[in-house]
Amino acid sequence: MATSTAPAVETAHDTFPINGTDYIELWVGNAKQSQLFYRAVLGFQLIAYRGPETGVRDRASYVLEQGKIRLVLTTPMGPEGEVADHVRLHGDGVRDMAFWVDDARDAYAKAIERGAVSVQEPTVLSDAHGSVVIAGIRTYGDTIHSIVERTNYRGPFLPGFRAADNPFHAEPVGLKYVDHCVGNVELGKMNHWVEFYSRVLGFYNLLSFDDKTISTEYSALMSKVMSNGNGRIKFPINEPAQGKKKSQIEEYLDFYRGPGVQHIAVATDDIVKTVRMLKARGLEFLSIPKTYYETVLDRVGTIDEDIAPLAELGILVDRDDEGYLLQIFTKPVQDRPTLFFEIIQRKGAKSFGAGNFKALFESLEREQELRGNL
Ligand code: FE2
């Protein structure tokens, strides 16, 4: 059932080693309220804070953690400056997908040498807990990759942040790590960004999907998945393809006012438990027609899980040569139909659920139609 193509000859030749995702930072209109959503609903814990009380005048930031996932929510304290500009244009969205490296100066120098555009030269930040070296480069739209070296740091997050003292802890829902982050870019720009990740960061093209793989009557897209050498960073890049009506990617680009992060996929070891908890706390997911479950096992073969709870919760199943995966998608987590989350449980499969795209897109189109955007 594999409908994707995997390039046979390409291998990774990392420009610099990346240990994993250091953090994902969202710039939002009201971080004080957003952080409570991520804690009370998604089960993150507040671990650090920076803002006016710590001597930063123009913004406030909350650092949240669950498993190895670290989210930073930052909001502007007034109408001036880059955070306010970003929120006005894009709404709430991902600003930064930060890489954790062992040598930020070396990583930055190599990225710049290969054509990356600088956002921040390597800068040493220090406090009583030690020091961090941080640099930054641009990627698609107004999105950036910070490059973080924290070998000599023992504090709660970064220098200048204080440990959080709010005692509220909702039970974690079992989210473990960031599996992949998907970018939506403009028509005709996918290969530009694929080439960027290949040339500048030494990533390789893990999988490709064309508009014949991923299309419904109305909506179509093309996608290429870029991965670093150790596979800890995976970035699928989507661009819209011609369909009868407006594709989900075009809807995103219209409402985000340009390219940006479409979804963050987070991994769990027990998707039924995780999704049950999230639904009980009010998180909304895309719904899948019951007919999907009448034929899914014919398509994917035997799986360890009972089909009944998967059907009850709307969890999707797909298989590749190495195993299978379970996945589900939230509705957008802000009023603009832009960023959403995917919950994924991998049972050997290394792919992204291409076998589910049709069922999924039909569900997305129903939502798009309700918003009057199809
Ligand atoms: Fe995904």
Side-chain angles (χ1 to χ4, degrees):
M1 52 84 15
T3 45
S4 52
T5 53
V9 291
E10 280 196 79
T11 50
H13 40 86
D14 290 350
T15 303
F16 52 84
I18 302 174
N19 299 325
T21 305
D22 194 283
Y23 62 85
I24 295 172
E25 181 167 1
L26 294 93
W27 282 0
V28 300
N30 186 342
K32 190 167 203 162
Q33 288 190 7
S34 295
Q35 57 95 23
L36 194 56
F37 165 81
Y38 283 95
R39 291 161 69 196
V41 178
L42 284 136
F44 281 81
Q45 305 229 326
L46 178 65
I47 60 159
Y49 171 81
R50 182 180 72 180
E53 299 86 343
T54 67
V56 174
R57 306 306 303 172
D58 70 330
R59 62 187 73 183
S61 298
Y62 298 78
V63 184
L64 306 162
E65 204 171 68
Q66 185 169 184
K68 291 179 179 166
I69 309 160
R70 193 152 48 195
L71 298 181
V72 182
L73 301 172
T74 294
T75 201
M77 296 301 292
E80 312 83 12
E82 58 175 2
V83 185
D85 291 345
H86 197 278
V87 171
R88 187 182 312 108
L89 185 62
H90 300 299
D92 291 6
V94 173
R95 163 63 173 176
D96 188 357
M97 295 176 281
F99 298 139
W100 170 34
V101 302
D102 289 333
D103 187 339
R105 290 183 185 86
D106 178 67
Y108 173 85
K110 285 178 171 156
I112 295 299
E113 189 182 288
R114 289 168 185 238
V117 177
S118 177
V119 184
Q120 185 183 8
E121 290 189 12
T123 306
V124 180
L125 306 173
S126 302
D127 66 9
H129 304 291
S131 60
V132 164
V133 186
I134 189 162
I137 57 171
R138 300 196 73 91
T139 177
Y140 46 77
D142 288 327
T143 318
I144 69 166
H145 293 303
S146 284
I147 299 169
V148 184
E149 171 192 329
R150 46 173 71 256
T151 327
N152 298 309
Y153 195 66
R154 302 284 168 269
F157 178 52
L158 289 175
F161 283 79
R162 71 174 188 204
D165 51 9
N166 189 308
F168 171 70
H169 293 311
E171 193 188 339
V173 300
L175 303 180
K176 301 283 187 197
Y177 60 89
V178 176
D179 188 274
H180 59 275
C181 290
V182 180
N184 283 343
V185 302
E186 307 97 318
L187 181 63
K189 286 293 172 64
M190 177 182 69
N191 283 328
H192 169 86
W193 290 106
V194 162
E195 204 260 337
F196 167 85
Y197 281 106
S198 167
R199 173 175 47 85
V200 173
L201 298 177
F203 284 26
Y204 71 102
N205 181 202
L206 179 66
L207 286 169
S208 299
F209 309 101
D210 64 20
D211 54 347
K212 286 166 210 68
T213 314
I214 316 178
S215 69
T216 60
E217 192 183 356
Y218 296 137
S219 189
L221 68 81
M222 300 205 285
S223 187
K224 288 187 178 175
V225 182
M226 301 305 289
S227 172
N228 78 323
N230 62 21
R232 290 182 197 165
I233 307 286
K234 290 192 284 282
F235 292 148
I237 315 256
N238 298 333
E239 73 171 34
Q242 289 306 325
K244 260 195 202 168
K245 293 195 181 177
K246 184 188 276 188
S247 79
Q248 49 161 313
I249 309 301
E250 287 172 277
E251 188 196 34
Y252 175 99
L253 294 168
D254 285 355
F255 281 84
Y256 199 70
R257 302 297 170 99
V261 173
Q262 179 208 42
H263 74 266
I264 302 169
V266 286
T268 170
D269 292 336
D270 186 348
I271 195 167
V272 170
K273 184 176 176 210
T274 297
V275 173
R276 224 185 262 295
M277 289 178 79
L278 291 171
K279 285 199 164 183
R281 293 175 185 182
L283 192 64
E284 293 185 309
F285 292 87
L286 289 180
S287 62
I288 297 299
K290 292 292 174 219
T291 50
Y292 173 90
Y293 295 93
E294 291 166 9
T295 55
V296 67
L297 293 181
D298 301 336
R299 183 164 62 78
V300 302
T302 311
I303 58 170
D304 300 336
E305 292 74 16
D306 290 335
I307 201 76
L310 302 182
E312 173 209 330
L313 296 167
I315 294 166
L316 303 165
V317 194
D318 197 21
R319 184 179 285 279
D320 64 20
D321 296 341
E322 295 173 86
Y324 69 96
L325 62 82
L326 304 153
Q327 64 185 169
I328 190 169
F329 298 84
T330 72
K331 291 186 181 179
V333 292
Q334 57 290 306
D335 291 291
R336 294 197 202 189
T338 53
L339 178 70
F340 60 89
F341 284 84
E342 173 183 351
I343 315 293
I344 185 166
Q345 182 178 4
R346 293 190 179 276
K347 306 205 75 168
K350 299 216 171 68
S351 52
F352 296 85
N356 290 321
F357 285 167
K358 192 166 170 16
L360 202 58
F361 285 15
E362 284 168 355
S363 176
L364 276 165
E365 283 168 11
R366 285 194 297 277
E367 300 282 327
Q368 241 179 292
E369 192 159 31
L370 287 172
R371 291 189 285 261
N373 295 330
L374 190 66

